[in-house]
């Protein structure tokens, strides 16, 4: 059920806005038609111009959320009231929460509204959500940006329970890059919490951050050298410690 709903949200027609450039470059929801999200990797990395990781938003969400059929129905009924027909979904989320006994993270303060575009973010698409606690359960009212310009083109909100610790929703700029070789012989990996600085983990020699390694490039006829990051023609790279391929992964879910 949850996977199906997230897939539908990613394909939902969020319309055309005067302010966007979708006619020229395409909109997210248009590009998502026909995609098989379950068959796609959870994360990809491009080493051509640095270290650029993209987290697949579908996998990010399905690991962290479960559709709350009960709360989702309540929200839909609230939105369907005659007096709300001219209200935006953003306004309706706040209005609905005002009718409930809710709090924020760990039951403290007020609900938290996040648009991932406004901070460090590795997700393949922007998401907007309000995180709240009700009856000792953590929920998010989620929208996915399906347009071109981030100022508009968001999906109809749906209500999900958060799987585990609610702070896992804040992991959208966290990721790992790891060596796929023999772990007993290498096991090198690098983590980031901001999408820019890749800190070395494990016991092996080399610079403290992955982006600081000297490079060799296949496009220049160069080959792998120990202690250097070798970038291949397909924009992937080989481990500077052992020469095995490097891959990216999302930070573990809730």
């Amino acid at each position: 059920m949850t996977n199906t709903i997230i897939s539908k949200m990613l394909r939902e027609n969020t319309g055309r806005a005067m302010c966007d450039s979708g006619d020229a470059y395409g909109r997210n929801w248009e590009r998502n038609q026909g995609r098989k999200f379950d068959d796609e990797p959870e994360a990809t990395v491009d080493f051509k111009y640095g270290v650029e990781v993209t987290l697949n938003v579908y996998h990010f969400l399905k690991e962290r959320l479960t559709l709350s059929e009960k709360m989702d129905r309540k929200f839909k009924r609230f939105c369907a009231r005659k007096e709300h027909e001219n209200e935006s979904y953003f306004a309706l989320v706040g209005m609905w929460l005002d009718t409930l006994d809710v709090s924020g993270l760990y039951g403290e303060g007020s609900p938290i509204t996040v648009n991932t575009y406004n901070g460090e973010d590795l997700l393949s698409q922007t998401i907007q959500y309000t995180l709240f606690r009700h009856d000792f359960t953590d929920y998010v009212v989620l929208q996915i940006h399906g347009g071109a310009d981030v100022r508009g083109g968001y999906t109809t909100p749906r209500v999900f329970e958060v799987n585990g610790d609610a702070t896992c929703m804040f992991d959208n700029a966290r990721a790992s890059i790891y060596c796929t070789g023999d772990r007993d012989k290498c096991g090198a990996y690098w983590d980031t919490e901001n999408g820019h600085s890749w800190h070395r983990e494990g016991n092996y020699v080399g610079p403290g951050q992955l982006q600081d390694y000297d490079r060799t490039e296949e496009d220049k006829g160069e080959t792998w050298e120990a202690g250097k990051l070798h970038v291949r023609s397909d924009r992937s790279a080989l481990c500077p410690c052992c020469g095995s391929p490097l891959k990216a992964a999302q930070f573990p879910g809730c």
Side-chain angles (χ1 to χ4, degrees):
M1 172 67 79
T2 298
N3 295 4
T4 300
I5 295 300
I6 294 172
S7 295
K8 287 182 177 179
M9 293 178 75
L10 287 166
R11 297 188 181 100
E12 180 182 326
N13 183 342
T14 56
R16 298 170 176 237
M18 291 285 291
C19 60
D20 74 32
S21 55
D23 289 330
Y25 303 106
R27 298 170 179 83
N28 287 317
W29 69 266
E30 293 172 320
R31 291 192 291 266
N32 288 339
Q33 304 305 311
R35 286 176 60 184
K36 297 181 179 179
F37 299 110
D38 280 306
D39 295 338
E40 297 177 355
E42 66 176 31
T44 57
V45 58
D46 185 332
F47 289 97
K48 180 66 174 178
Y49 301 110
V51 183
E52 299 179 8
V53 166
T54 300
L55 305 181
N56 187 306
V57 69
Y58 170 78
H59 289 287
F60 180 88
L61 293 172
K62 80 168 190 174
E63 288 186 10
R64 289 163 171 77
L65 302 176
T66 299
L67 182 72
S68 172
E69 297 185 53
K70 178 181 178 180
M71 294 293 278
D72 196 53
R73 283 195 302 269
K74 286 184 176 182
F75 179 67
K76 285 181 178 179
R77 288 197 295 266
F78 180 84
C79 293
R81 293 178 184 176
K82 180 67 174 177
E83 64 267 28
H84 295 157
E85 62 182 0
N86 294 320
E87 299 287 351
S88 69
Y89 278 130
F90 186 82
L92 285 169
V93 171
M95 292 166 62
W96 179 58
L97 293 180
D98 285 342
T99 69
L100 305 175
D101 181 16
V102 298
S103 58
L105 192 64
Y106 300 133
E108 300 178 356
S110 302
I112 301 169
T113 297
V114 173
N115 185 306
T116 56
Y117 180 82
N118 294 327
E120 304 291 355
D121 184 34
L122 297 177
L123 293 178
S124 55
Q125 288 178 228
T126 296
I127 59 174
Q128 180 170 277
Y129 61 88
T130 298
L131 172 66
F132 67 96
R133 176 168 287 190
H134 175 66
D135 285 345
F136 305 102
T137 301
D138 292 313
Y139 298 92
V140 295
V141 187
L142 173 71
Q143 292 177 277
I144 301 174
H145 179 246
D149 189 289
V150 76
R151 291 171 292 180
Y154 289 84
T155 60
T156 302
R158 304 299 298 267
V159 186
F160 298 82
E161 289 186 27
V162 182
N163 302 330
D165 194 309
T167 58
C168 68
M169 290 299 298
F170 306 146
D171 290 340
N172 55 293
R174 303 179 73 181
S176 296
I177 293 174
Y178 65 96
C179 174
T180 60
D182 189 330
R183 289 188 178 182
D184 292 332
K185 295 181 180 179
C186 183
Y189 68 100
W190 297 261
D191 289 340
T192 186
E193 294 187 355
N194 59 19
H196 302 297
S197 301
W198 295 88
H199 301 284
R200 187 187 69 203
E201 306 291 343
N203 297 316
Y204 53 91
V205 297
Q209 299 193 27
L210 181 60
Q211 68 271 19
D212 292 337
Y213 277 87
D214 291 333
R215 292 179 164 222
T216 57
E217 297 184 25
E218 188 174 55
D219 284 345
K220 295 180 180 179
E222 298 171 336
T223 58
W224 178 83
E225 295 180 33
K228 294 185 179 182
L229 184 70
H230 182 64
V231 181
R232 299 193 288 190
S233 297
D234 63 0
R235 298 178 177 241
S236 65
L238 301 181
C239 176
C241 304
C242 73
S244 298
L246 295 176
K247 287 190 176 181
Q250 296 191 21
F251 197 80
C254 303

